[in-house]
Amino acid sequence: MKILAIETSCDDTCIALAEPSAKDFKLMSNLISSQKEIHKKWGGVYPSFARREHQKNLVPLLEQGLRATNMLKLKVKNEKLKITVKNLKLKNILEREKFLYDKTEKFLGKYQKPEIDYIAVTVGPGLDPCLWTGVNFAKALAYWWGVPIIPVNHIEGHLLANWLTPIGESAKRKTQNVKQKTENKIKLPAICLIVSGGHTQIILVKKIGQYKILGETRDDAAGEAFDKIARILGLGYPGGPVIAQQAKQSSMINDKLSIKLPRPMLNTKDYDFSFSGLKTSVLYDYIKRNSKIKKSKEYIRLIAKEAQQAIIDVLIKKTLKAARDYRVKTIMLGGGVAANKELRIQFEKKVQEYSPEANLIVSSGKYCTDNAAMIAMSAYLRIPNKKAINWNKIKAEPNLRIAD
Ligand code: KG4
Ligand code: ZN
């Protein structure tokens, strides 16, 4: 079985090709065209720019993926698509994606249908115009090639990215280099902390496909807090990696400076979060400093470190509380912020203190930030209970939730 996966929910255009079997999940190709450089100028993502970039990138990325996996086969004769009912329908599916239509038309005229059994596409949550571009592209290919679509929830994708973790990656696991088996090796129930640019949720995973949101952020997401704090400090976008980099360079002791930021909702009995006050505290601290301090490396590094630690403290405490309360066997992380090294190290330590029996699973950083491998994995794991759907029934759902 071969799956083509498409992910365009935010500012990364992602295409993956996977071949799952009873033995293992073979990731044949996993491509990302990042728009970070474009959005850097604005300090955040502009949906209409992001959409335009998706329209430009999707076809070249698909071609690249198919070529790398020997699935790109030229037609005997390059067909210029004529005006037929079939072609008009294609035009109709892509009517709001003019740029993408031109590229898609050429691509379909030039190459044969690849050996693909399913097209998996992120339908939500995410930025509405960006989601639609990916969804429309998936619909156009599915229609043209006669392949069914599997709609994927982006958050479930982040969660199930943990199934991409090769056994042996977690510090607690001794066996190295064992390929991830497609049968379920992860012990459930589990708690999964999702920390991305748009979401911060603690999810109880009863089974694959059976979830309960135990808590979530009441305002900004953890990734959003990183991004906003980085903007205040003039560090650029995306904020997470630059804050982490600054924090790492901070020396442990600084006699002249002292910064203490709040840990919002650290001791509340629920599993909710709030990060908007933390960002405001950073802003107040920044405003009150004189310009010499503000511009000093020491200050930026120290406040970055303190802000990162404040976020880590709350994330770990609330997640472990949920894990304890629900007596789960596994704790998982997912989403861009889960790529944060310090968060991973501190989580690993705390989980071992909490219960030596509990397993912490975190997939490698490249599967935590947005990618289409997780969309392919998600589609694969959900095929038994979620039937593939005909292309004309698919739509983007920007506010889709994984559970109630
Ligand atoms: O999951 P993701 O790639 O996209 C969304 O679904 O939102 O997450 C993006 C977020 C951004 O806010 C980014 O600043 C943050 O993840 N992020 C990080 C790191 N890498 C990305 N945050 C902290 N540390 C990192 N190393
Ligand atoms: Zn994401």
Side-chain angles (χ1 to χ4, degrees):
M1 178 210 297
K2 288 196 181 118
I3 302 175
L4 160 65
I6 301 167
E7 152 67 47
T8 63
S9 67
C10 190
D11 61 345
D12 291 312
T13 318
C14 317
I15 294 272
L17 289 154
E19 187 176 18
S21 69
K23 209 164 106 250
D24 57 22
F25 184 91
K26 187 172 160 203
L27 189 57
M28 302 160 78
S29 169
N30 184 30
L31 300 171
I32 300 175
S33 174
S34 170
Q35 306 173 9
K36 301 281 183 282
E37 281 307 313
I38 293 165
H39 298 291
K40 222 175 200 167
K41 283 191 247 143
W42 316 100
V45 182
Y46 263 72
S48 52
F49 285 178
R51 173 176 180 228
R52 193 191 59 194
E53 290 304 306
H54 290 314
Q55 291 203 30
K56 277 194 212 161
N57 298 334
L58 276 167
V59 173
L61 219 54
L62 175 61
E63 266 189 55
Q64 193 187 331
L66 291 173
R67 186 172 292 118
T69 53
N70 289 326
M71 285 202 281
L72 191 70
K73 306 243 157 60
L74 281 170
K75 280 187 175 166
V76 184
K77 205 169 137 232
N78 189 356
E79 292 166 29
K80 173 103 181 73
L81 298 189
K82 295 180 211 91
I83 302 173
T84 60
V85 175
K86 192 177 178 191
N87 298 349
L88 285 175
K89 186 91 200 163
L90 183 79
K91 201 165 194 167
N92 190 250
I93 295 170
L94 292 175
E95 83 183 328
R96 296 183 58 204
E97 323 280 347
K98 170 79 184 79
F99 210 69
L100 181 61
Y101 172 75
D102 293 344
K103 283 179 176 271
T104 307
E105 188 206 20
K106 279 198 195 100
F107 171 80
L108 294 174
K110 192 168 170 191
Y111 299 106
Q112 298 174 28
K113 172 189 178 291
E115 289 164 35
I116 282 163
D117 304 285
Y118 294 97
I119 297 176
V121 64
T122 303
V123 292
L127 301 171
D128 185 78
C130 300
L131 287 168
W132 269 115
T133 300
V135 167
N136 284 333
F137 186 51
K139 285 169 84 162
L141 297 180
Y143 164 70
W144 197 261
W145 292 334
V147 174
I149 294 188
I150 300 171
V152 176
N153 178 314
H154 182 78
I155 300 300
E156 190 177 16
H158 277 308
L159 193 159
L160 296 178
N162 285 296
W163 271 254
L164 289 162
T165 311
I167 292 164
E169 243 180 40
S170 165
K172 284 182 73 187
R173 296 175 171 195
K174 298 284 180 282
T175 34
Q176 295 292 328
N177 304 323
V178 183
K179 247 186 167 179
Q180 173 67 54
K181 297 275 189 274
T182 38
E183 77 254 33
N184 193 353
K185 286 275 178 191
I186 297 179
K187 286 188 188 140
L188 299 177
I191 285 290
C192 181
L193 170 71
I194 293 292
V195 268
S196 70
H199 292 79
T200 301
Q201 293 180 328
I202 291 184
I203 300 169
L204 175 65
V205 184
K206 294 176 216 165
K207 281 185 185 163
I208 291 176
Q210 265 185 41
Y211 313 111
K212 186 170 192 268
I213 300 172
L214 301 179
E216 59 195 315
T217 184
R218 297 186 181 176
D219 40 57
D220 294 350
E224 196 178 353
F226 273 109
D227 294 340
K228 287 179 174 171
I229 290 168
R231 202 182 312 165
I232 293 169
L233 302 176
L235 294 173
Y237 171 85
V242 274
I243 297 263
Q245 198 187 17
Q246 292 293 323
K248 205 174 146 202
Q249 293 174 51
S250 171
S251 55
M252 292 296 280
I253 305 151
N254 191 316
D255 301 336
K256 284 171 260 147
L257 282 169
S258 150
I259 303 170
K260 189 75 194 152
L261 295 170
R263 270 70 176 152
M265 299 185 72
L266 184 71
N267 295 311
T268 57
K269 291 209 171 69
D270 49 39
Y271 309 107
D272 286 345
F273 302 95
S274 163
F275 291 109
S276 126
L278 176 64
K279 162 206 69 191
T280 313
S281 300
V282 170
L283 180 66
Y284 286 162
D285 194 280
Y286 188 75
I287 290 170
K288 81 174 187 210
R289 305 285 173 178
N290 68 41
S291 64
K292 193 167 162 236
I293 291 193
K294 259 186 223 174
K295 283 187 192 133
S296 70
K297 279 186 198 152
E298 290 75 23
Y299 172 72
I300 297 293
R301 288 172 183 172
L302 198 64
I303 196 163
K305 187 173 180 183
E306 173 64 4
Q308 174 176 271
Q309 193 57 49
I311 295 171
I312 290 176
D313 285 348
V314 197
L315 292 178
I316 292 185
K317 180 144 188 209
K318 288 284 171 95
T319 307
L320 292 189
K321 175 176 154 46
R324 210 170 306 145
D325 293 352
Y326 285 84
R327 297 164 187 253
V328 297
K329 299 184 177 127
T330 303
I331 297 165
M332 300 187 278
L333 310 182
V337 179
N340 186 288
K341 288 218 175 72
E342 201 48 45
L343 175 75
R344 298 159 77 103
I345 291 168
Q346 294 191 28
F347 240 115
E348 193 80 54
K349 251 193 234 155
K350 285 279 166 56
V351 169
Q352 295 199 356
E353 279 168 29
Y354 149 74
S355 159
E357 306 308 318
N359 243 328
L360 175 73
I361 302 209
V362 202
S363 51
S364 49
K366 63 176 185 257
Y367 301 133
C368 290
T369 46
D370 286 350
N371 65 87
M374 70 183 195
I375 303 305
M377 178 56 101
S378 195
Y380 169 68
L381 291 173
R382 297 286 264 123
I383 287 172
N385 25 23
K386 194 178 187 185
K387 285 203 188 84
I389 297 176
N390 199 348
W391 65 270
N392 56 7
K393 301 216 172 65
I394 308 286
K395 62 178 193 333
E397 296 177 67
N399 300 317
L400 188 66
R401 282 172 72 79
I402 192 169
D404 299 325

